[in-house]
Amino acid sequence: MDLTASPKVLARAAADLLRLLPGRTLDPVLSGVVLEADVDGVVLAGTDRERGVRLHRTARVHRAGRLLVPARPLAEVLRHLDAPEVRLVLEGSRLALRTPGARFALPLLDLDAHPGVRAAPPALGSLDTALLPRAAVVAGAASRDDALPVFTGVHLTRRGDRLVLVGTDRFRMAVADLPWRPVAEGPDLLVPAGVLTEVSRQAEGAEVVLHGDADRAGFGWPGAEVTTAVLDAPFPDESRHLGAPFDGTVELPAADLAAALRRVAPFAGPQATVLLDVGDGEVRLRATGTGDADESVKASTGGDRISTGYQPRYLADALGAFGSDRIRIGLRSGHRRATVLTTADPTAAHLHYVVMPKRL
Amino acid sequence: MDLTASPKVLARAAADLLRLLPGRTLDPVLSGVVLEADVDGVVLAGTDRERGVRLHRTARVHRAGRLLVPARPLAEVLRHLDAPEVRLVLEGSRLALRTPGARFALPLLDLDAHPGVRAAPPALGSLDTALLPRAAVVAGAASRDDALPVFTGVHLTRRGDRLVLVGTDRFRMAVADLPWRPVAEGPDLLVPAGVLTEVSRQAEGAEVVLHGDADRAGFGWPGAEVTTAVLDAPFPDESRHLGAPFDGTVELPAADLAAALRRVAPFAGPQATVLLDVGDGEVRLRATGTGDADESVKASTGGDRISTGYQPRYLADALGAFGSDRIRIGLRSGHRRATVLTTADPTAAHLHYVVMPKRL
């Protein structure tokens, strides 16, 4: 192998690959990145057996080749190079990275022992780039606790011409209902939320093609293909929270209520409850603990003048998901009856955030 | 008490006060901030018995007063206020913070139980604002390990019309030799490095007056007075490292060598040594571990063509202290003979950074 490329481009690719394969593997071969150079450029590929990543990047290839080097050291040396070009060349049992005045050499790993990176399963359809932030919000609502694997996943299903993504950690639930261009049946996949979060970040600005079969899901965008094993568990149904009628409604900019919550929440005591009271043309947030706080925010209100209480963190996450959008909050009186936050603009891609109130 | 002020200004002051008093105190009274309002504005004052802080800020005072409230909750609520003004008013046994539509009330602490914040000892002289970054560098070379308190201090002494600051953790030593406008004898003070670091940050842009007596040091700048107990221990003498002649010298921009070191250092093996070879018109950095690295940097070199080895972190800290300045590195051959980095420009405020080479 002998190629010349931009250190910045390769560094970004190596870092992206590591972010998609964060698992600490005991197998040294899997800590390596496969470099494949041919006339089309260079591919960086890696796997932890659960996940697979292939990133294609531009390079001037002087001699084609395929080799395996430790991924972290490669990323580290590329990250600090400030020369405009770097030459990667196989020298004996090492891969040398050369810039003017400097040479960095990495030992090769045993390519024959590497399991390879499988191609993605068949394409199912594609999602517009503008919708990726919504997918990231849904992934953010999933649990990070591996003890209950089902809640670490995001459920992707098709409903008519929409793709519905659902993430929940049992205390809150985010549902995105996005325009979808199908090319096959499906999907019905439970994808690890961490993969979806990272894909949303890396694919920013590109159309993403979703792939899937019974065991695996894949995401493709220009220059990148990411696959992951899917989670196998029955996923809770979101419709019972979204469907039922509301007793009271509030419409206001999410950021206004989020700002008030940031001020009021620190006053919530050890039981950490923030109260939301629906008033006339306003909602009030209240908390009592070390001192007390009370703030009113202008809003369009409807239905009953009800009062509900929330874990501040869950309400903050839900509001944060809508950024500066105007939202509609549907509230229900009574214990354990979900509150639903929705984008108020019916033309925007639909996002619903379900938060369970606390018993008062 | 009843006053109106800028939440931003008060939030900044409360945060600065907490940064200067980071110690977790078991005495709840010391977790409070004393607010003193009079015709001149408002003072935020606090102490952990070792240190004392008084910060004066502008306010429109409607009714003078003095009270004690928990510092962290006060800082927290001020931090999130986005109204242009906040009114602080005593309401019964609470301090209320009022903005349009919102009220936040903090419980009062027992002001009579508070020890008060002592005034600073006498002024000794003053230091120009431009020199504070040098003081911060010296503080950064001190140890963070409280097991050897003497090395957590920065030694301040007068030498002629210069103030000499020395910080060391035994493995490296930074010496700043700064212009000084004395108004009294002294100083000869061992000041906790953490205080000096924080003072350098907060006093940015102001002339700093140094105060001191046998037991305490103080720093004053417009609107602020910070005092601290001094450390009481014999401090190592720096002059034996600085005085002796060098066997080889290198002159180059610190940033060039720092950038090369960032690339080469990750290759240093488990014993983590980076080699520096003085060549003709260049220095070479080398490391061997997982692979190997070799980079040459252009430099003016003099004396012997010697080779020394360093702990990469210490060399990186030393180079980082000089930013983009051109530096002179004085090297000595043989074991445990210090390397000294100095600003090459003789008109610049003098900074010397001593690094001990490793046995090769």
Side-chain angles (χ1 to χ4, degrees):
Chain A
M1 174 181 299
D2 186 357
L3 64 87
T4 303
S6 153
K8 207 170 279 183
V9 166
L10 295 187
R12 175 75 185 270
D16 282 352
L17 182 132
L18 284 169
R19 290 176 67 108
L20 284 160
L21 301 171
R24 303 208 165 274
T25 165
L26 293 175
D27 183 349
V29 159
L30 296 184
S31 72
V33 54
V34 180
L35 297 180
E36 299 173 0
D38 62 23
V39 287
D40 294 329
V42 62
V43 170
L44 292 83
T47 182
D48 61 4
R49 295 192 198 269
E50 292 277 307
R51 303 181 189 181
V53 183
R54 292 179 63 85
L55 302 175
H56 181 270
R57 295 294 180 266
T58 304
R60 295 201 311 281
V61 175
H62 318 297
R63 193 179 318 131
R66 192 159 178 274
L67 50 78
L68 184 68
V69 287
R72 269 183 206 285
L74 177 70
E76 181 76 354
V77 64
L78 286 168
R79 186 163 73 92
H80 292 301
L81 292 180
D82 51 16
E85 293 200 322
V86 59
R87 187 156 178 178
L88 274 62
V89 53
L90 178 65
E91 296 181 357
S93 64
R94 305 216 149 184
L95 174 70
L97 288 82
R98 289 180 172 276
T99 60
R103 175 184 179 274
F104 308 94
L106 293 168
L108 298 186
L109 299 172
D110 183 5
L111 183 60
D112 294 333
H114 193 274
V117 180
R118 290 167 67 191
L124 304 178
S126 62
L127 203 60
D128 194 78
T129 174
L131 305 174
L132 288 177
R134 294 300 196 206
V137 162
V138 172
S143 171
R144 279 142 196 88
D145 180 3
D146 286 326
L148 281 171
V150 57
F151 295 114
T152 64
V154 168
H155 192 219
L156 283 68
T157 44
R158 181 173 169 187
R159 191 164 306 153
D161 61 346
R162 314 280 289 183
L163 182 71
V164 178
L165 294 84
V166 183
T168 180
D169 64 359
R170 293 177 300 155
F171 304 104
R172 38 61 184 290
M173 173 183 272
V175 183
D177 175 358
L178 308 176
W180 169 244
R181 285 184 295 278
V183 298
E185 289 296 303
D188 180 7
L189 297 167
L190 190 55
V191 175
V195 175
L196 191 60
T197 301
E198 194 51 33
V199 164
S200 301
R201 197 187 68 83
Q202 293 187 20
E204 204 193 331
E207 181 183 280
V208 173
V209 177
L210 177 65
H211 301 251
D213 61 18
D215 305 317
R216 291 192 305 149
F219 300 90
W221 65 96
E225 190 170 275
V226 176
T227 58
T228 175
V230 294
L231 298 163
D232 184 18
F235 197 78
D237 177 26
E238 83 286 359
S239 56
R240 68 190 170 104
H241 295 306
L242 302 185
F246 298 113
D247 300 316
T249 60
V250 173
E251 207 180 297
L252 82 179
D256 289 3
L257 193 56
L261 180 62
R262 270 196 297 278
R263 292 185 281 270
V264 170
F267 287 82
Q271 85 278 32
T273 300
V274 163
L275 297 177
L276 189 151
D277 305 331
V278 181
D280 295 323
E282 64 173 31
V283 279
R284 273 175 79 191
L285 286 180
R286 287 184 295 138
T288 304
T290 312
D292 49 82
D294 182 336
E295 180 160 349
S296 299
V297 182
K298 275 187 206 165
S300 307
T301 56
D304 299 343
R305 297 291 169 263
I306 57 181
S307 185
T308 44
Y310 302 93
Q311 177 90 15
R313 186 164 56 90
Y314 289 133
L315 190 55
D317 281 359
L319 290 167
F322 294 95
S324 56
D325 290 358
R326 198 171 168 81
I327 57 167
R328 190 162 185 278
I329 308 177
L331 301 122
R332 297 170 174 126
S333 52
H335 174 53
R336 300 303 291 167
R337 299 190 58 215
T339 298
V340 181
L341 290 72
T342 310
T343 33
D345 177 2
T347 65
H350 283 292
L351 179 66
H352 310 275
Y353 215 111
V354 180
V355 184
M356 294 311 287
K358 294 186 72 173
R359 186 198 291 265
L360 296 182
Chain B
M1 172 182 299
D2 185 359
L3 64 86
T4 303
S6 152
K8 206 171 277 183
V9 167
L10 295 187
R12 174 76 185 270
D16 283 352
L17 181 132
L18 285 169
R19 290 176 67 107
L20 284 161
L21 301 170
R24 302 209 166 272
T25 166
L26 293 177
D27 184 349
V29 159
L30 296 184
S31 72
V33 53
V34 180
L35 297 180
E36 300 172 0
D38 62 21
V39 286
D40 294 331
V42 63
V43 170
L44 291 82
T47 182
D48 61 6
R49 294 192 198 272
E50 292 277 307
R51 302 183 187 178
V53 183
R54 291 180 64 84
L55 302 175
H56 180 270
R57 295 297 180 265
T58 305
R60 295 201 312 280
V61 176
H62 316 298
R63 192 177 320 132
R66 192 160 177 271
L67 50 78
L68 184 68
V69 286
R72 269 182 208 284
L74 178 69
E76 181 76 354
V77 65
L78 286 168
R79 187 163 72 93
H80 292 300
L81 291 180
D82 51 16
E85 294 200 320
V86 59
R87 187 155 180 180
L88 275 63
V89 52
L90 177 65
E91 297 181 355
S93 64
R94 306 215 148 183
L95 174 70
L97 288 82
R98 290 181 172 274
T99 60
R103 175 183 180 272
F104 308 94
L106 293 168
L108 299 185
L109 299 173
D110 182 6
L111 182 61
D112 295 334
H114 193 273
V117 181
R118 289 166 69 190
L124 303 178
S126 62
L127 203 61
D128 195 80
T129 173
L131 305 173
L132 288 179
R134 293 300 196 207
V137 162
V138 173
S143 171
R144 279 143 195 86
D145 179 3
D146 286 326
L148 282 171
V150 57
F151 295 114
T152 63
V154 169
H155 192 217
L156 282 70
T157 45
R158 181 174 168 186
R159 192 165 303 155
D161 60 346
R162 312 281 287 184
L163 181 71
V164 178
L165 294 84
V166 184
T168 180
D169 63 0
R170 293 177 299 154
F171 305 102
R172 39 62 184 287
M173 172 183 272
V175 182
D177 176 357
L178 307 175
W180 170 243
R181 285 183 296 276
V183 298
E185 289 296 303
D188 181 5
L189 298 167
L190 190 56
V191 175
V195 176
L196 191 60
T197 301
E198 193 52 32
V199 164
S200 301
R201 197 187 68 82
Q202 292 187 19
E204 203 193 331
E207 181 183 280
V208 173
V209 177
L210 177 65
H211 299 252
D213 61 18
D215 306 316
R216 290 192 305 150
F219 300 90
W221 65 96
E225 190 171 273
V226 176
T227 59
T228 174
V230 294
L231 299 163
D232 183 18
F235 198 78
D237 178 26
E238 84 286 0
S239 55
R240 68 192 170 101
H241 294 306
L242 301 185
F246 298 113
D247 301 317
T249 59
V250 174
E251 208 180 296
L252 81 178
D256 289 4
L257 194 56
L261 180 62
R262 271 195 296 278
R263 291 185 282 270
V264 170
F267 286 82
Q271 86 275 34
T273 300
V274 163
L275 297 176
L276 188 149
D277 305 332
V278 181
D280 295 324
E282 64 172 32
V283 280
R284 274 174 78 191
L285 287 180
R286 287 184 295 138
T288 304
T290 312
D292 50 81
D294 183 336
E295 180 160 350
S296 299
V297 181
K298 275 188 204 164
S300 307
T301 57
D304 299 342
R305 296 291 170 261
I306 56 181
S307 185
T308 44
Y310 302 92
Q311 178 89 18
R313 187 165 56 91
Y314 289 133
L315 190 56
D317 280 358
L319 291 167
F322 294 95
S324 57
D325 290 359
R326 198 170 167 82
I327 57 166
R328 192 164 183 276
I329 306 177
L331 301 124
R332 298 170 171 125
S333 52
H335 175 52
R336 302 302 293 166
R337 298 191 58 216
T339 298
V340 181
L341 289 73
T342 311
T343 33
D345 176 2
T347 65
H350 283 292
L351 178 66
H352 310 275
Y353 214 110
V354 179
V355 184
M356 295 309 288
K358 295 185 72 173
R359 185 197 293 264
L360 296 184

